[in-house]
C-alpha cells in the first residue's frame, strides 16, 4: 500500500499553512449540512506532498471515517490512465494517432452518422472520415454517452443497455462492437462531445498489447508507480476500506446508493478504461506526480520508473481541438467534467487555455479532469502543483466543489 504522508512543510513548498486551513473549514460545512459524506484533499508542490486533509465518513451509516487509505471510485479519472497507456504504446510505434480505429476494431470500418429522425427511426449517412485514434483521445469521435439524455443517439445507447453501465456479462470487445453499430452524433473530428471514446481506446490498448486492460495497467503503470491499491474493483482484502457511494436525495442531502456502488466490489466482465477504476489518494497522487516535471524528475518519470518521454507528456498537454478552439466553440452544450469557456482538450485531459473566461484563478496550461462521484484533480505545471479531491457523491455537478477548491488552493500560494 502506498502511504499518504506529507513530505514537506507547507511553507517550504510556498504554501501558507494558515490559509490551507481554510480548505478544511470550507468543506467541513458540506459535511455539517449533510451534502457530502466525507472528503479527502491532497496538495503537492514540485513532486512533494505538502498538504493532506480529510473529514467526515467513508461510510456514514457504518460510522466509518475517511482515512488516508480509503479506496474511492474515481470513474472518469480512469480516462487519463487509459490515455497514458495508449501513448506508451504510441511511443513503441504500435500505431499512429491518425490510424483508423477499424485497423484494430474491425466493426468501426463502416460507421454511420446520425442525420435526422428519431431514436426508433434514425436517418443516417456514411462517415466521410474514419474514426481515428486521436479522435478517441480528444472526444471528437462522434461517440456519446447514454446518460446525456439530449439526443436520439443517447436514447439508442440506453435502449441497448448502456447508460451508467452495460448489459450483464458484456465484455469490452462486445461493447465496442455494439457502439460501432450505433450512429455517431457527427462526422468524426467535426465537434467535441464527452463520450465513450476512451472506453474504445481501452480496447485498442488490449488489441495492440495482446493483454487485457487490467493486465496492462497492472504490469506497465500501477506496478512501476507503486499504485498497489488501484484496479477495476476492490478485492476482498480491501473492501473494508472502500467508501460507500452516495447520490443527492430529494431533500438535497447525500443519500446512499448501494445498488450502483456494489459494482466496485467484484471483478467486472467489461474493463471500462473510461470509468472503471478505484484508487486511493496516495496512488492517484503518484500517477499525477509522474505527469509533472519537477526538480530531479522530468515529466513521464517517477522514482526511477519511466512511463513516457517528457516530449510526449508535453504533447498530450497541448490543446488538440482544431484551430485552437475551446470547448465553448467546438463542444456541444452538454455536461462534462470541466468548464467549457477558456478550456481546450489535449490527449486525455482538459487543458486551460485562458483562466479568465471560465472565471477560475488557475494557470494557462493546467491539465484537469474529474469523476462522476465528484472526485477531481488538476496539474498546474507553471506552479508545480498537483491537487486531488476525493469524495463519493453522484452527480459531480451537484455542488461547485472543483471551482471552490481552486479558490482555496490558489489563495494559499505564497
Amino acid at each position: 500500500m502506498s502511504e499518504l504522508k506529507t513530505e514537506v512543510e507547507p511553507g517550504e513548498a510556498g504554501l501558507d499553512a494558515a490559509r490551507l486551513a481554510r480548505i478544511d473549514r470550507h468543506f467541513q460545512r458540506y459535511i455539517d449540512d449533510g451534502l457530502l459524506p466525507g472528503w479527502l484533499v491532497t496538495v503537492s508542490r514540485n513532486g512533494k506532498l505538502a498538504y493532506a486533509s480529510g473529514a467526515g465518513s467513508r461510510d456514514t451509516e457504518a460510522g466509518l471515517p475517511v482515512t488516508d487509505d480509503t479506496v474511492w471510485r474515481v470513474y472518469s479519472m480512469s480516462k487519463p490512465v487509459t490515455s497514458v497507456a495508449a501513448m506508451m504504446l504510441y511511443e513503441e510505434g504500435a500505431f499512429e494517432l491518425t490510424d483508423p480505429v477499424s485497423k484494430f476494431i474491425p466493426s468501426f470500418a463502416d460507421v454511420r452518422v446520425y442525420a435526422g429522425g428519431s431514436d426508433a427511426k434514425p436517418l443516417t449517412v456514411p462517415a466521410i472520415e474514419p474514426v481515428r485514434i486521436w479522435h478517441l483521445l480528444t472526444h471528437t469521435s462522434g461517440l456519446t454517452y447514454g446518460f446525456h439524455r439530449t439526443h436520439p443517439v443517447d436514447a439508442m445507447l440506453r435502449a441497448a443497455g448502456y447508460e451508467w453501465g452495460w448489459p450483464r456479462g458484456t465484455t469490452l470487445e462486445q461493447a465496442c462492437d455494439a457502439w460501432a453499430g450505433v450512429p455517431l452524433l457527427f462526422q468524426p473530428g467535426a465537434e467535441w462531445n464527452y463520450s465513450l471514446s476512451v472506453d474504445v481506446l481501452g480496447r485498442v490498448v488490449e488489441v495492440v498489447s495482446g493483454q487485457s486492460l487490467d493486465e496492462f495497467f497492472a504490469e506497465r503503470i500501477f506496478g512501476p508507480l507503486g499504485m498497489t491499491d488501484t484496479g477495476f474493483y476492490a478485492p476482498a482484502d480491501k473492501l473494508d476500506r472502500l467508501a460507500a457511494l452516495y447520490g443527492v436525495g430529494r431533500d438535497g442531502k447525500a443519500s446512499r446508493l448501494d445498488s450502483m456502488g456494489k459494482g466496485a466490489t467484484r471483478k467486472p466482465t467489461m474493463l471500462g478504461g473510461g470509468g472503471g477504476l478505484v484508487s486511493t489518494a496516495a496512488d492517484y497522487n503518484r500517477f499525477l506526480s509522474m505527469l509533472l516535471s519537477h526538480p530531479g524528475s522530468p515529466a513521464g518519470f517517477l522514482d526511477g520508473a519511466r512511463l513516457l518521454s517528457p516530449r510526449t507528456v508535453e504533447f498530450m498537454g497541448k490543446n488538440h481541438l482544431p484551430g485552437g478552439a475551446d470547448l465553448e466553440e467546438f463542444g456541444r452544450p452538454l455536461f462534462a467534467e470541466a468548464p467549457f469557456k477558456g478550456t481546450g482538450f489535449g490527449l486525455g485531459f482538459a487543458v486551460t487555455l485562458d483562466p479568465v473566461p471560465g472565471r477560475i484563478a488557475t494557470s494557462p496550461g493546467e491539465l484537469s479532469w474529474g469523476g462522476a462521484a465528484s472526485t477531481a484533480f488538476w496539474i498546474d505545471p507553471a506552479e508545480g502543483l498537483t491537487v486531488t479531491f476525493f469524495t463519493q457523491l453522484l452527480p459531480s455537478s451537484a455542488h461547485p466543489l472543483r471551482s471552490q477548491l481552486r479558490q482555496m488552493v490558489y489563495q494559499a500560494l505564497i
Side-chain angles (χ1 to χ4, degrees), residues 160-185:
Y162 299 96
E163 184 174 6
W164 288 102
W166 49 88
R168 184 181 295 274
T170 300
T171 64
L172 180 57
E173 179 181 9
Q174 292 168 336
C176 287
D177 289 345
W179 300 333
V182 175
L184 301 176
L185 256 62

Side-chain angles (χ1 to χ4, degrees), residues 231-303:
F232 282 98
Y233 71 107
D237 61 342
K238 297 173 185 174
L239 277 178
D240 61 328
R241 294 193 278 129
L242 178 67
L245 184 64
Y246 294 82
V248 179
R250 291 183 179 180
D251 59 358
K253 298 185 184 297
S255 177
R256 198 178 179 100
L257 280 179
D258 280 342
S259 58
M260 189 169 175
K262 66 183 180 183
T265 65
R266 56 182 181 267
K267 185 175 181 178
T269 56
M270 195 184 100
L271 302 173
L277 294 177
V278 300
S279 190
T280 60
D283 275 13
Y284 208 88
N285 188 56
R286 288 187 63 77
F287 176 72
L288 298 183
S289 294
M290 179 272 297
L291 291 167
L292 180 72
S293 177
H294 45 84
S297 183
F301 294 70
L302 186 69
D303 294 341

Side-chain angles (χ1 to χ4, degrees), residues 7-152:
E7 302 162 282
V8 63
E9 290 297 319
E12 297 174 61
L15 293 159
D16 186 316
R19 282 177 166 254
L20 283 173
R22 294 177 178 179
I23 295 174
D24 298 53
R25 293 195 295 271
H26 179 80
F27 288 104
Q28 179 64 42
R29 295 175 198 147
Y30 279 94
I31 296 171
D32 295 342
D33 293 341
L35 303 178
L36 287 180
W39 52 264
L40 182 62
V41 172
T42 70
V43 181
S44 294
R45 198 140 196 222
N46 297 320
K48 295 187 181 297
L49 184 63
Y51 169 83
S53 185
S57 304
R58 69 178 188 268
D59 187 323
T60 303
E61 291 71 19
L64 299 174
V66 167
T67 53
D68 289 350
D69 62 354
T70 293
V71 176
W72 312 90
R73 298 162 191 80
V74 298
Y75 288 114
S76 285
M77 281 166 56
S78 308
K79 289 179 170 69
V81 178
T82 304
S83 300
V84 164
M87 295 307 292
M88 291 169 70
L89 293 169
Y90 165 82
E91 287 192 335
E92 295 173 8
F95 55 78
E96 295 184 59
L97 295 179
T98 51
D99 279 348
V101 173
S102 59
K103 184 175 179 180
F104 311 99
I105 308 175
S107 55
F108 272 82
D110 300 306
V111 292
R112 309 274 300 178
V113 179
Y114 176 86
S118 67
D119 56 293
K121 290 186 176 182
L123 174 65
T124 66
V125 297
I128 58 176
E129 161 85 357
V131 178
R132 302 183 188 275
I133 300 295
W134 78 268
H135 293 140
L136 300 179
L137 281 156
T138 57
H139 293 283
T140 57
S141 64
L143 291 163
T144 187
Y145 272 126
F147 61 71
H148 281 324
R149 293 183 171 268
T150 60
H151 194 281

